[in-house]
Amino acid sequence: SSFEYVKLFERSDVLLPQCWPVVRIDGRGFHRFSDVHGFRKPNDDRSLGLMNKAATSVMKDFKDVVIAYGQSDEYSFVLDKKTNLYNRRESKILSNMVSLFTSCFTFHWSEFFPTTPLKYAPSFDGRVILYPSKEVLRDYLSWRQADCHINNLYNTVFWALVQEGGLTPNEAQVKLKGTNAGGKNEILFSQFGVNYNNLSQLYRKGTVLMKALGSNLCAAGDGDKPSDTILSLNEDIIRDDFWKAHPEILRDEGENLAKKNQQ
Amino acid sequence: SSFEYVKLFERSDVLLPQCWPVVRIDGRGFHRFSDVHGFRKPNDDRSLGLMNKAATSVMKDFKDVVIAYGQSDEYSFVLDKKTNLYNRRESKILSNMVSLFTSCFTFHWSEFFPTTPLKYAPSFDGRVILYPSKEVLRDYLSWRQADCHINNLYNTVFWALVQEGGLTPNEAQVKLKGTNAGGKNEILFSQFGVNYNNLSQLYRKGTVLMKALGSNLCAAGDGDKPSDTILSLNEDIIRDDFWKAHPEILRDEGENLAKKNQQ
Amino acid sequence: SSFEYVKLFERSDVLLPQCWPVVRIDGRGFHRFSDVHGFRKPNDDRSLGLMNKAATSVMKDFKDVVIAYGQSDEYSFVLDKKTNLYNRRESKILSNMVSLFTSCFTFHWSEFFPTTPLKYAPSFDGRVILYPSKEVLRDYLSWRQADCHINNLYNTVFWALVQEGGLTPNEAQVKLKGTNAGGKNEILFSQFGVNYNNLSQLYRKGTVLMKALGSNLCAAGDGDKPSDTILSLNEDIIRDDFWKAHPEILRDEGENLAKKNQQ
Amino acid sequence: SSFEYVKLFERSDVLLPQCWPVVRIDGRGFHRFSDVHGFRKPNDDRSLGLMNKAATSVMKDFKDVVIAYGQSDEYSFVLDKKTNLYNRRESKILSNMVSLFTSCFTFHWSEFFPTTPLKYAPSFDGRVILYPSKEVLRDYLSWRQADCHINNLYNTVFWALVQEGGLTPNEAQVKLKGTNAGGKNEILFSQFGVNYNNLSQLYRKGTVLMKALGSNLCAAGDGDKPSDTILSLNEDIIRDDFWKAHPEILRDEGENLAKKNQQ
Ligand SMILES: Nc1nc2c(ncn2[C@H]2C[C@H](O)[C@@H](COP(=O)(O)OP(=O)(O)OP(=O)(O)O)O2)c(=O)[nH]1
Ligand SMILES: Nc1nc2c(ncn2[C@H]2C[C@H](O)[C@@H](COP(=O)(O)OP(=O)(O)OP(=O)(O)O)O2)c(=O)[nH]1
Ligand SMILES: Nc1nc2c(ncn2[C@H]2C[C@H](O)[C@@H](COP(=O)(O)OP(=O)(O)OP(=O)(O)O)O2)c(=O)[nH]1
Ligand SMILES: Nc1nc2c(ncn2[C@H]2C[C@H](O)[C@@H](COP(=O)(O)OP(=O)(O)OP(=O)(O)O)O2)c(=O)[nH]1
Ligand SMILES: O=P(O)(O)OP(=O)(O)OP(=O)(O)O
Ligand SMILES: O=P(O)(O)OP(=O)(O)OP(=O)(O)O
Ligand SMILES: O=P(O)(O)OP(=O)(O)OP(=O)(O)O
Ligand SMILES: O=P(O)(O)OP(=O)(O)OP(=O)(O)O
Ligand SMILES: [Mg+2]
Ligand SMILES: [Mg+2]
Ligand SMILES: [Mg+2]
Ligand SMILES: [Mg+2]
Ligand SMILES: [Mg+2]
Ligand SMILES: [Mg+2]
Ligand SMILES: [Mg+2]
Ligand SMILES: [Mg+2]
Ligand SMILES: [Mg+2]
Ligand SMILES: [Mg+2]
Ligand SMILES: [Mg+2]
Ligand SMILES: [Mg+2]
């Protein structure tokens, strides 16, 4: 029709090639959402389970996600640096991934919260960030895992002081102001007999999702082809060990040289 | 933490001021989704009702949406040209609106499809387009409504030929190839006794959502303040009449002069 | 060659249609440049003449510039909102216009500074800004002309105090601190017998460049076709008078309707 | 003033961190410019000398340029991946570098073309491209040097056929159509006794500009600090040798680890 010229106002938003696109989604107003739906404090296994379920679905659908990391109300999806998903169109990638995540979260709600009806529709924001090197990408993931640790330690002590220590939220906040990690560990241990390091890794480390390599799963090797199975781990991804154990995730130069100039 | 520098890789994506941002969402792979869930052809009132429900929820949440238009598996949300939603950050606006729409679609599914369980999580893509003038914005909406008309006329004849005329889909397609609107109307009328113009406006025009003005609703006027009530119409928005009847939707210069330089 | 894939890293940067692109260039480090080349204070007619010469050359080359405005070491070029210059590619427009301006400034230097050899190569920065409406575009130009006025009034009194009043630059600055326009006019008049409003409009208003309409130039009318002649004015462009006298510069809707949807 | 809000229409254009920004400039319409100014064919030493002079001036001014490569009417400037030049604002970097290059080209014209007055102001376009890894950046430079080779070989045979072989340009073009590199070398050798590989490296390889390391210049080592001296080479930069000999140019991880997280 004669109105079609309006399509020209759409802007091209192709992501720079050979950078790793990261899509981070984060629950919108989950402070209120978790309150309204009675999330357990500081961590609710149902909520974490549902987040992981939704993220797993996203990874199964979008095969170019090489690793995902989640904690609290957020999830980060790392796409392969060579991905050609939606021709690397940023809005397409962003909107489709956020939308599918959201839909799965809502769709699977009752499996994880069988006794808590959804009171209103939950939603998530999202953004795409480009990381040009393996090192910076790892620093990104370390940033999120360090954030998990900091928040979780704080929340753990805070809610111990409130729920078991009988402090008001305000008093707990005042007591924690200015304490460092050591101080918080100390309170936990001396006052509540809790050794923070013995808490579930799920809470302390968050969740890593990655593809099970074919070779991991069956002896009759079909090489290194990624299978459809998604592995869920609660490991440290800040230190080198994880990355040494899974070099295929961010495999880079080797493959690069092989496929060179072909992308 | 020392990893926080990775936040610097986030790019600023503020939308140009004083343009109308349009967020258009569109069902991902709804060809398959409508098949799998047995949508009626050519139009399924349940699906259209659910789309409108989700869009109404989005409008109630995001108050700066001044008008929305939906048809088939898509919806367009027009934000006020002066909106300061998320400080006009494109990714925030896009992801939050797509996410809420998706969540509402999934959340309200069973109200509209009480006998059809959702087989998998539906999702939507989205994009933001800027329109710098009222005229082009109207042409955008006209484009979508003209698209509704063209597709609906085609689909109506096509499914009449298949469902009532006994043609195979292939035969129907061949028969319609090269016909213009008149030809299609003719087939409908002569072969099936259907006057296209008597079909539901919901199918032929799509759905317009707009805010009920306070003054529309109660005599005790609180001026022109938009209320929380969303009106749903199935009117022509290509011709001037609609816009003359609702000058407040795209009100522009008048208000501009008043608020000038304050934005 | 096999290296050509690197071209894919170039990003599309098409400017939003139907907005007026403004290219503003500004002398790089002209504080020092004007010192080194002995510019007269507060205004040097040679420098202003050279700026105007370079800008006129740019306008003759880039026919889609509908108006330009210059003052001090800066020039703003307004492109037609329908321009298709370099397919509206931002980098192309920016770089070519900055480059040509710079080259003309250097090339014509000796015509304006016959006794002052160029000591080093002058350069300019540049940026492109989009304005979506006539009103905001006018506000942009008003902003630059108001800036001209403010700076010129300040500089005029400052240099009068220093050059004729015998104050040190520091003393002059202290004396002017906190004065408003009235105060500065007062000093000029009472202390130096200068009526600011009698100073050259070139200094007080800056320079407007626009195309001479064919009809302005010859009786045998070839309609309203812009000729190659560039007019230079030193008028107020903040008030409506200028724009009422020259409606063709930002002509908008009229022409729009005619060419509608054809762009 | 009340007009200052128009500044909000300027868009942030910060370049992605840790990618190498490349600014490539290219003469605007140099086909005509070289004709009008009687450039020698296929290569004019005066023009190449002037290009190199301008590029050297740009490198002296913008210290973050780590290497530059020029051929024909173009020059590419590679900025350090950690550069903070103009806070990595793309328009600032682009416009200032194109402008200075242009100005120097015009300013130094008569030193290289003492008997040919400049007939009109020459200008250059420019663009910024980001390269996220050393490998791709090298491929970019290889692309430009391969382009130099291909064009120069063609031009050399073409003009030999025309100037010495007496062919018309059209006949020469037809004769060369479909020949490969070997074929062109063969014509040169058999028909004109010219061994292409003996031609000046300046023509065959283009020009590399890099910083002289302090240690290269004086024994009394001030470490590896780059001095102000710019070296000009006409070497192969496609093969590894050059890069092995000058690892400091694209030094990456080593330095990275040291400065990690501080950028
Ligand atoms: N009780 C409880 N709350 C949780 C759990 N996971 C997340 N939350 C809540 C705690 C925080 O208030 C909130 C996450 O913080 P955010 O910074 O994302 O804030 P919020 O989502 O409210 O605002 P936003 O829209 O993201 O700016 O979600 C959980 O397992 N249990
Ligand atoms: N039977 C039926 N199908 C519908 C209805 N509304 C939409 N659809 C289907 C028909 C189309 O196949 C599809 C919409 O076309 P699209 O161009 O959006 O294609 P689709 O969503 O498959 O792919 P996409 O992911 O958007 O590229 O949705 C309906 O009311 N009834
Ligand atoms: N004496 C004299 N100086 C002038 C004249 N026109 C411009 N200038 C000088 C005065 C200012 O120091 C300078 C323009 O101010 P800017 O804000 O553009 O600063 P500058 O160019 O030094 O720095 P920049 O690179 O633009 O950030 O140029 C003139 O006619 N006479
Ligand atoms: N005779 C001669 N011509 C040269 C020399 N170096 C460059 N040129 C000319 C040959 C080409 O026509 C032109 C460079 O080709 P371009 O692809 O850059 O085309 P041109 O600058 O005409 O158009 P453009 O504005 O870049 O799209 O410059 C030289 O040393 N001698
Ligand atoms: O999806 P289509 O084919 O209706 O057209 P489009 O939405 O403009 O295409 P895309 O989704 O690829 O932007
Ligand atoms: O939302 P926050 O406060 O955790 O931090 P952010 O996500 O970086 O901020 P924003 O959502 O505004 O981008
Ligand atoms: O250069 P200034 O200070 O007059 O102001 P600006 O041009 O808006 O600042 P910048 O050159 O840094 O964009
Ligand atoms: O100018 P060309 O044809 O050598 O190729 P390009 O520079 O990639 O094209 P453009 O100048 O249009 O970006
Ligand atoms: Mg946030
Ligand atoms: Mg949140
Ligand atoms: Mg969060
Ligand atoms: Mg689509
Ligand atoms: Mg669809
Ligand atoms: Mg659709
Ligand atoms: Mg400036
Ligand atoms: Mg300046
Ligand atoms: Mg200035
Ligand atoms: Mg080019
Ligand atoms: Mg050129
Ligand atoms: Mg060239």
Side-chain angles (χ1 to χ4, degrees), chain C residues 158-173:
Chain C
F158 179 89
W159 288 111
L161 288 169
V162 171
Q163 291 171 340
E164 301 177 44
L167 269 58
T168 64
N170 221 39
E171 289 165 351
Q173 199 195 318

Side-chain angles (χ1 to χ4, degrees), chain C residues 7-225:
Chain C
K7 204 158 166 42
L8 296 172
F9 289 70
E10 295 187 12
R11 198 176 39 84
S12 159
D13 61 352
V14 175
L15 296 169
L16 189 66
Q18 306 230 5
C19 294
W20 282 271
V22 174
V23 179
R24 180 169 78 249
I25 66 97
D26 183 284
R28 179 178 176 226
F30 263 47
H31 186 77
R32 176 172 165 242
F33 185 81
S34 59
D35 257 14
V36 167
H37 294 88
F39 282 22
R40 287 165 201 139
K41 290 159 173 169
N43 291 292
D44 190 317
D45 285 344
R46 300 168 301 175
S47 153
L48 295 172
L50 177 52
M51 290 291 289
N52 293 340
K53 171 76 185 184
T56 301
S57 302
V58 167
M59 268 188 88
K60 283 192 176 159
D61 198 326
F62 295 100
K63 307 287 189 204
D64 284 355
V65 173
V66 292
I67 189 171
Y69 174 74
Q71 54 118 337
S72 183
D73 68 339
E74 73 172 54
Y75 240 99
S76 296
F77 299 92
V78 181
L79 288 159
D80 193 277
K81 80 169 188 175
K82 305 248 180 168
T83 186
N84 206 27
L85 182 61
Y86 296 115
N87 293 318
R88 295 182 82 94
R89 289 165 61 191
E90 180 173 357
S91 293
K92 283 285 211 177
I93 291 173
L94 174 62
S95 58
N96 276 299
M97 290 183 70
V98 171
S99 179
L100 182 60
F101 186 95
T102 306
S103 193
C104 291
F105 189 93
T106 303
F107 182 61
H108 294 291
W109 172 267
S110 63
E111 299 162 32
F112 291 83
F113 288 90
T115 60
T116 312
L118 204 42
K119 297 217 174 57
Y120 61 88
S123 62
F124 295 81
D125 76 16
R127 72 198 69 195
V128 182
I129 319 146
L130 288 174
Y131 288 109
S133 76
K134 227 187 299 206
E135 288 73 29
V136 191
L137 178 63
R138 273 193 53 188
D139 282 348
Y140 170 81
L141 292 168
S142 297
W143 178 50
R144 299 324 302 148
Q145 191 168 60
D147 186 83
C148 174
H149 167 71
I150 292 163
N151 289 332
N152 189 61
L153 176 55
Y154 182 93
N155 291 338
T156 303
V157 197
F158 179 89
W159 288 111
L161 288 169
V162 171
Q163 291 171 340
E164 301 177 44
L167 269 58
T168 64
N170 221 39
E171 289 165 351
Q173 199 195 318
V174 168
K175 179 168 180 120
L176 289 175
K177 200 157 199 171
T179 57
N180 59 12
K184 295 197 189 71
N185 272 309
E186 183 56 28
I187 295 174
L188 267 186
F189 190 71
S190 62
Q191 209 168 331
F192 305 102
V194 170
N195 185 335
Y196 182 74
N197 290 321
N198 292 342
L199 295 183
S200 165
Q201 294 238 103
L202 169 63
Y203 306 152
R204 290 186 295 118
K205 299 296 178 193
T207 301
V208 175
L209 300 182
M210 52 182 286
K211 285 171 184 157
L213 288 184
S215 54
N216 290 352
L217 296 176
C218 58
D222 43 10
D224 268 358
K225 275 207 298 180

Side-chain angles (χ1 to χ4, degrees), chain B residues 203-247:
Chain B
Y203 306 151
R204 291 186 294 120
K205 299 295 178 195
T207 302
V208 176
L209 301 181
M210 51 181 286
K211 286 172 183 155
L213 287 184
S215 53
N216 290 352
L217 296 176
C218 58
D222 44 10
D224 268 358
K225 274 208 298 178
S227 85
D228 218 30
T229 309
I230 306 295
L231 292 184
S232 163
L233 307 171
N234 306 108
E235 287 184 15
D236 178 286
I237 53 173
I238 297 179
R239 281 190 293 256
D240 289 341
D241 309 40
F242 175 82
W243 301 101
K244 280 189 181 139
H246 306 288

Side-chain angles (χ1 to χ4, degrees), chain A residues 7 89 92, chain B residues 24 26-27 125 127:
Chain A
K7 204 158 165 41
R89 286 164 63 190
K92 283 283 210 177
Chain B
R24 180 169 78 250
D26 182 285
D125 75 16
R127 73 197 70 195

Side-chain angles (χ1 to χ4, degrees), chain B residues 61 68 115 151 217 263:
Chain B
D61 197 326
T115 60
N151 290 331
L217 296 176
Q263 62 137 10

